[in-house]
RNA sequence: GCCAGCGUAGCUCAGUCGGUAGAGCAGCUGAUUCGUAAUCAGCAGGUCGGAGGUUCGAUCCCUCUCGCUGGCUCCA
């Protein structure tokens, strides 16, 4: 075996000693760097890792996209380095890169305070300036255990014992050493643009019964600008926060006296909700659905049959006793729809049935999980159940998929991420329902996605126990994903309630049942809408669509007549007849994010016109009332997301 | 539920090293009748989240409790 190997870096080819390191290549090629890692024959590795065979090598700079995870992971190590410098005796848990940055978990008696975070960040920056080197060593497993035991790092000892191979790689910098595969940056100098963001609790190995650790979160980027942009984005997200905008725009509220996780829809929010519901109903009727109503409570026996009392009881509220019988608040609508199904004998000729309901359900959520409109204890699901024969299932799935995507688009969500959740192939016994049914169900989900050419991610093992499903997540204005639609097969309920239909053969058959929530819940969807539009709803959804602002008292009658004209034409309109100057009225209408503003004074009264202002676009000048009305009506009725006058 | 932080007027916030609180906006009243993002003046508004304790005295210190925030866990 030759002790030379040939290396290709970009356009250059060179022959080097076997065992040369990527960092040597950089020197040899006169590449300035800095570099954070190297891609050797497609695999990311340390700059200091020897190359043992002919290879194609790419040096990875901090600004390369594939560097970001390395920067994050290394920044997590830097964080631990600083923490151990400042708080010796702290035990380190795990510290990975995550989607938005990195974190590290620590075990320590005293809580980290915000001041501690500042001190830690400062120490991190010192270490960056020192450009401390990061060293990799490989120890035999037993030695690695000893190594961490000597340092008093019991958590690491546990990890090495559980996960370590025969040879364990360890990264070391300052007082900190980690059991870690890498790769890592060669030294800390490239981690200058780092910021610690928050501290929170976390469980050791994610186990609720396990030890409680303290987790410090941070973000890191290759350039200062990217870090600043990220911080601006966090600020931007805060400005869109529906929990702030909701009460500000008088859309909804909560009340301590009412209780956590319960939402009060204020008049303006209720208006928007009513518009959403009406649109939803009309689309469902047009789409071949019946819209049902069912009660909020049901007898214990119903929940026993459905199985909820068996496996879902912890999420249900305590029963109330009525005439010696226990009744439960509903956590789901399906048993009620099934009762309607079972009210008569169904023929295959009746199917498919598509039954939808805006059904308000109540679920116990642990106090710490409640979050604005997004996680609540009482909410209205836009639920539907499709009951059909095996022969109909492909058509029905395609139909519900198209329907869902189309309705999401009505609200401005056209950029979606789709996930197909299927069984865990290694654990088939934990699922209910016959194997051939699972196969057919999965096949029809895939067929529908492929028929429409939709990209999707296959989530192995993510199916719920009763059937495979498709989830649709929508992307909002600042790129965040929100789960809305879920289309799930249910092989459980139809069995438990012994749902049947009479087939052509005169025999009883088991229908397919598909659950579907499209918007998800009205509360949650409304929260997502508020964040997506930053409170500035498109015209057709806006609680007030046209504000009419008289300049002086003598213009009020005219303003009110315009409001009546708008209202008579189906537009939601209000006049501001406060004794304020027009500048103030405009400011208030703009702050309320009213899409269209009509200012009227002497000139407009005299000519029977109005001065138009479009939210976010400013003064558009004088308009004829009839022409304005025609356009506004058109935008409203067509549900345009943007208006153009 | 767990860890940490927070809770002062409707909102945003100041303040009190323990002697029962203050501003701006919003509200009300009055004046102003005004041309594209805040007219002026006056008034009113708080058992300082709730309960208990320590103290001559608690909004401030302690305990419990409720709620909110960031996460964790959970979300068949």
């Amino acid at each position: 075996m030759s002790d030379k190997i040939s290396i290709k870096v970009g356009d250059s080819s060179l022959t080097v000693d076997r065992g040369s390191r990527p960092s040597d290549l950089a020197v040899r090629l006169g590449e300035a760097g800095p570099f954070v890692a190297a891609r050797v024959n497609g695999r990311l590795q340390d700059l200091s890792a020897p190359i043992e065979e002919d290879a194609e090598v790419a040096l990875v700079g901090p600004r390369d996209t594939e560097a970001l995870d390395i920067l994050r992971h290394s920044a997590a190590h830097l964080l631990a380095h600083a923490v151990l410098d400042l708080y010796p005796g702290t035990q380190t848990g795990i510290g990975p890169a995550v989607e938005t940055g990195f974190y590290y978990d620590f075990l320590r008696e005293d809580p980290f305070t915000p001041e501690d975070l500042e001190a830690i960040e400062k120490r991190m920056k010192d270490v960056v300036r020192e450009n401390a080197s990061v060293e990799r060593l490989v120890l035999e497993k037993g030695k690695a255990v000893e190594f961490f035991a000597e340092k008093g790092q019991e958590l690491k000892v546990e990890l090495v014992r559980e996960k370590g191979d025969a040879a364990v790689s360890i990264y070391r910098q300052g007082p900190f050493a980690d059991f870690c595969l890498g790769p890592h940056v060669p030294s800390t100098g490239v981690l200058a643009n780092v910021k610690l963001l928050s501290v929170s609790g976390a469980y050791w190995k994610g186990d609720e019964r396990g030890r409680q650790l303290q987790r410090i979160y941070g973000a890191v980027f290759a350039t200062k600008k990217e870090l600043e942009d990220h911080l601006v984005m966090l600020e931007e997200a805060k400005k869109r926060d529906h929990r702030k905008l909701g009460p500000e725009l008088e859309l909804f509220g909560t009340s301590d006296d009412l209780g956590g996780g319960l939402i009060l829809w204020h008049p303006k929010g209720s208006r928007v909700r009513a518009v959403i519901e009406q649109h939803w109903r009309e689309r469902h009727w047009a789409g071949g659905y019946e819209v049902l109503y069912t009660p909020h409570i049901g007898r214990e026996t119903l929940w026993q049959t459905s199985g909820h009392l068996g496996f879902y009881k912890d999420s249900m509220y305590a029963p109330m006793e009525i005439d010696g019988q226990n009744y439960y608040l509903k956590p789901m609508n399906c048993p009620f729809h099934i009762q309607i199904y079972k009210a008569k004998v169904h023929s295959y000729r009746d199917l498919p049935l598509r039954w939808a309901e805006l059904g308000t359900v109540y679920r116990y959520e642990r106090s710490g999980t409640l979050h604005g409109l997004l996680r609540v204890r009482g909410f209205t699901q836009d639920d539907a159940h499709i009951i059909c024969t095996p022969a109909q299932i492909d058509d029905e799935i395609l139909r519900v998929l198209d329907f869902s995507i189309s309705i999401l688009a009505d609200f401005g969500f056209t950029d979606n991420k789709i996930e197909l959740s299927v069984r865990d192939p290694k654990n088939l016994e934990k699922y209910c329902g016959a194997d051939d049914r699972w196969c057919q169900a999965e096949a029809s989900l895939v067929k529908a996605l492929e028929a429409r050419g939709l990209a999707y991610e296959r989530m192995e093992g993510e199916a719920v126990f009763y059937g495979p499903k498709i989830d649709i997540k929508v992307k909002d204005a600042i790129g965040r994903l929100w789960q809305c639609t879920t289309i799930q097969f249910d092989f459980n309920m139809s069995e438990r309630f012994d749902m049947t239909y009479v087939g052509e053969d005169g025999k009883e058959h088991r229908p397919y049942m598909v659950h579907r929530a499209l918007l998800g819940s009205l509360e949650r969807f409304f929260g997502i809408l508020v964040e997506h539009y930053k409170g500035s709803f498109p015209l057709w959804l806006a609680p007030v669509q046209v504000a009419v602002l008289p300049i002086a008292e003598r213009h009020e009658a005219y303003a009110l007549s315009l409001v009546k004209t708008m209202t008579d034409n189906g537009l939601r309109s209000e006049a501001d007849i406060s004794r304020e100057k027009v500048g103030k009225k405009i400011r208030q209408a703009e702050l309320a994010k009213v899409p269209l503003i009509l200012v009227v004074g002497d000139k407009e009264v005299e000519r029977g016109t109005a001065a138009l202002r479009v939210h976010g676009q400013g003064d558009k000048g004088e308009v004829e009332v009839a022409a304005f009305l025609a356009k506004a009506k058109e935008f409203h009725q067509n549900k345009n997301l943007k208006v153009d006058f």
Side-chain angles (χ1 to χ4, degrees):
Chain A
M1 192 158 83
S2 157
D3 53 358
K4 294 283 181 190
I5 51 175
S6 63
I7 300 288
K8 202 161 176 279
V9 184
D11 296 331
S12 337
S13 294
L14 50 166
T15 303
V16 298
D17 293 337
R18 187 178 300 277
S20 291
R21 299 169 301 177
S23 51
D24 302 331
L25 301 179
V27 172
R28 177 109 175 244
L29 291 165
E31 296 272 4
F35 297 105
V36 299
R39 185 169 281 283
V40 177
N41 286 334
R43 265 194 56 213
L44 276 176
Q45 64 167 60
D46 287 331
L47 287 174
S48 59
I51 306 171
E52 301 293 354
E53 57 189 8
D54 293 352
E56 207 163 305
V57 177
L59 295 165
V60 178
R63 294 186 189 210
D64 294 330
T65 40
E66 56 195 351
L68 192 54
D69 270 352
I70 298 172
L71 291 182
R72 285 169 171 163
H73 195 177
S74 292
H77 282 208
L78 172 63
L79 165 59
H81 177 163
V83 166
L84 289 185
D85 270 350
L86 296 173
Y87 311 96
T90 300
Q91 288 208 44
T92 53
I94 58 166
V98 290
E99 214 173 312
T100 55
F102 62 90
Y103 67 79
Y104 216 106
D105 286 346
F106 300 99
L107 180 60
R108 173 175 178 250
E109 262 317 278
D110 299 325
F112 288 114
T113 63
E115 294 73 44
D116 291 338
L117 280 201
E118 276 175 41
I120 294 165
E121 188 177 308
K122 190 167 168 297
R123 178 68 198 132
M124 287 167 74
K125 296 209 162 140
D126 289 342
V127 176
V128 168
R129 267 189 294 276
E130 291 161 17
N131 198 16
S133 61
V134 176
E135 190 191 343
R136 179 173 193 264
L137 54 153
V138 176
L139 296 179
E140 178 269 316
K141 184 167 178 174
K143 293 269 186 240
V145 168
E146 271 173 43
F147 174 86
F148 285 115
E150 267 168 38
K151 287 177 166 284
Q153 292 291 349
E154 297 302 325
L155 299 179
K156 290 293 172 196
V157 168
E158 202 177 319
L159 284 180
V160 174
R161 283 214 172 105
E162 278 174 23
K163 298 190 179 174
D165 295 328
V168 168
S169 83
I170 290 171
Y171 283 81
R172 189 157 64 170
Q173 60 182 105
F176 171 66
D178 207 348
F179 165 49
C180 179
L181 286 173
H184 277 284
V185 300
S187 61
T188 56
V190 288
L191 302 172
N193 302 297
V194 66
K195 172 106 188 137
L196 296 184
L197 294 171
S198 63
V199 58
S200 70
Y203 299 105
W204 174 234
K205 293 181 189 161
D207 182 352
E208 216 179 330
R209 294 153 305 186
R211 274 167 288 188
Q212 181 88 39
L213 309 179
Q214 297 185 67
R215 175 169 299 177
I216 298 177
Y217 281 89
V220 66
F221 291 93
T223 63
K224 189 168 182 186
K225 177 156 189 328
E226 286 171 284
L227 176 62
E228 280 167 1
D229 287 350
H230 180 72
L231 297 177
V232 167
M233 202 279 286
L234 291 179
E235 285 303 310
E236 174 65 15
K238 250 189 223 167
K239 283 189 210 143
R240 288 173 182 267
D241 194 328
H242 70 283
R243 294 168 302 179
K244 181 176 156 58
L245 288 174
E248 244 172 52
L249 298 172
E250 302 178 336
L251 299 170
F252 66 88
T254 53
S255 150
D256 287 5
D257 288 339
L258 219 202
L262 300 170
I263 303 302
L264 297 164
W265 291 74
H266 290 207
K268 286 189 175 152
S270 296
R271 265 190 219 175
V272 181
R273 172 167 170 170
V275 171
I276 294 171
E277 288 185 356
Q278 193 51 33
H279 178 65
W280 183 92
R281 252 180 233 112
E282 281 165 8
R283 292 255 4 217
H284 276 73
W285 285 324
Y289 286 77
E290 294 292 344
V291 178
L292 311 181
Y293 296 92
T294 67
H296 287 66
I297 61 173
R299 274 176 62 185
E300 183 163 26
T301 48
L302 182 75
W303 302 111
Q304 272 162 355
T305 306
S306 70
H308 286 91
L309 284 176
F311 49 70
Y312 199 68
K313 195 165 194 233
D314 288 349
S315 298
M316 292 170 69
Y317 289 99
M320 57 198 106
E321 198 192 299
I322 302 169
D323 293 342
Q325 304 261 1
N326 279 336
Y327 284 73
Y328 285 85
L329 268 172
K330 68 173 170 184
M332 292 186 195
N333 301 302
C334 18
F336 296 76
H337 290 192
I338 292 170
Q339 294 308 299
I340 296 173
Y341 182 82
K342 287 179 69 81
K344 67 172 206 173
V345 174
H346 290 277
S347 150
Y348 71 96
R349 295 169 193 278
D350 299 338
L351 305 181
L353 292 170
R354 304 183 198 99
W355 287 350
E357 178 180 6
L358 294 169
T360 304
V361 298
Y362 293 87
R363 298 178 183 177
Y364 171 72
E365 300 282 0
R366 299 206 280 180
S367 59
T369 64
L370 300 176
H371 182 93
L373 293 176
L374 303 182
R375 193 77 181 269
V376 291
R377 286 177 170 164
F379 58 95
T380 302
Q381 269 189 321
D382 68 321
D383 212 352
H385 296 98
I386 296 160
I387 301 166
C388 67
T389 68
Q392 293 166 334
I393 195 68
D394 285 355
D395 283 349
E396 286 306 307
I397 292 295
L398 189 57
R399 185 183 177 114
V400 70
L401 185 65
D402 284 343
F403 187 67
S404 302
I405 288 170
S406 163
I407 290 184
L408 291 173
D410 291 343
F411 291 97
F413 296 113
T414 47
D415 194 357
N416 303 322
K417 178 172 187 286
I418 301 179
E419 293 174 355
L420 169 69
S421 296
V422 297
R423 285 183 293 183
D424 177 359
K426 285 174 293 205
N427 215 347
L428 292 178
E429 67 283 359
K430 76 172 189 181
Y431 300 95
C432 82
D435 193 57
D436 61 327
R437 290 227 150 192
W438 273 87
C439 293
Q440 191 191 359
E442 190 184 320
S444 68
L445 292 175
V446 169
K447 253 184 261 173
L449 290 167
E450 285 177 355
R452 291 295 178 259
L454 294 165
Y456 64 95
E457 190 177 348
R458 191 183 166 87
M459 314 289 279
E460 220 70 61
E462 287 299 306
V464 282
F465 77 84
Y466 51 76
K469 62 171 180 172
I470 287 175
D471 291 331
I472 305 177
K473 295 179 176 177
V474 300
K475 194 180 267 183
D476 77 4
I478 56 172
R480 296 171 301 180
L481 286 172
W482 307 88
Q483 153 112 43
C484 289
T485 304
T486 183
I487 299 168
Q488 317 186 333
F489 276 84
D490 189 334
F491 301 131
N492 186 44
M493 287 290 159
S494 52
E495 294 286 335
R496 286 177 166 272
F497 282 99
D498 191 25
M499 294 166 73
T500 58
Y501 67 92
V502 180
E504 265 176 285
D505 56 4
K507 294 192 182 126
E508 289 196 338
H509 298 270
R510 185 78 72 217
Y512 272 98
M513 181 161 102
V514 175
H515 297 271
R516 180 233 67 181
L518 205 168
L519 307 175
S521 93
L522 289 176
E523 284 75 6
R524 183 180 155 79
F525 188 72
F526 186 65
I528 295 168
L529 272 183
V530 170
E531 303 228 352
H532 178 57
Y533 287 112
K534 210 175 173 179
S536 298
F537 291 108
L539 183 72
W540 74 281
L541 288 167
V544 178
Q545 298 172 300
V546 186
V548 186
L549 313 182
I551 286 172
E553 207 168 345
R554 63 180 178 280
H555 312 124
E556 281 179 17
Y558 181 65
L560 290 169
S561 79
L562 287 187
V563 167
K564 184 166 186 322
T565 306
M566 300 302 143
T567 309
D568 288 349
N569 281 278
L571 293 169
R572 298 180 289 278
S573 178
E574 286 176 4
D576 181 348
I577 53 168
S578 61
R579 292 293 116 82
E580 294 290 349
K581 293 167 75 167
V582 73
K584 175 76 169 280
K585 294 182 183 181
I586 286 169
R587 176 178 161 79
Q588 270 171 345
E590 292 284 359
L591 289 175
K593 302 177 191 285
V594 178
L596 302 171
I597 298 169
L598 298 176
V599 178
V600 294
D602 287 335
K603 202 167 70 178
E604 288 77 16
V605 170
E606 193 188 315
R607 300 193 213 160
T609 58
L612 172 65
R613 229 188 124 91
V614 179
H615 177 62
Q617 298 177 34
D619 194 355
K620 304 292 251 189
E622 195 173 3
V623 292
E624 297 292 334
V625 171
F628 165 80
L629 182 62
K631 267 194 160 178
K633 252 174 102 167
E634 188 195 323
F635 293 142
H636 168 68
Q637 283 166 356
N638 292 341
K639 303 188 166 61
N640 289 25
L641 298 174
K642 295 235 158 57
V643 294
D644 179 29
F645 281 86

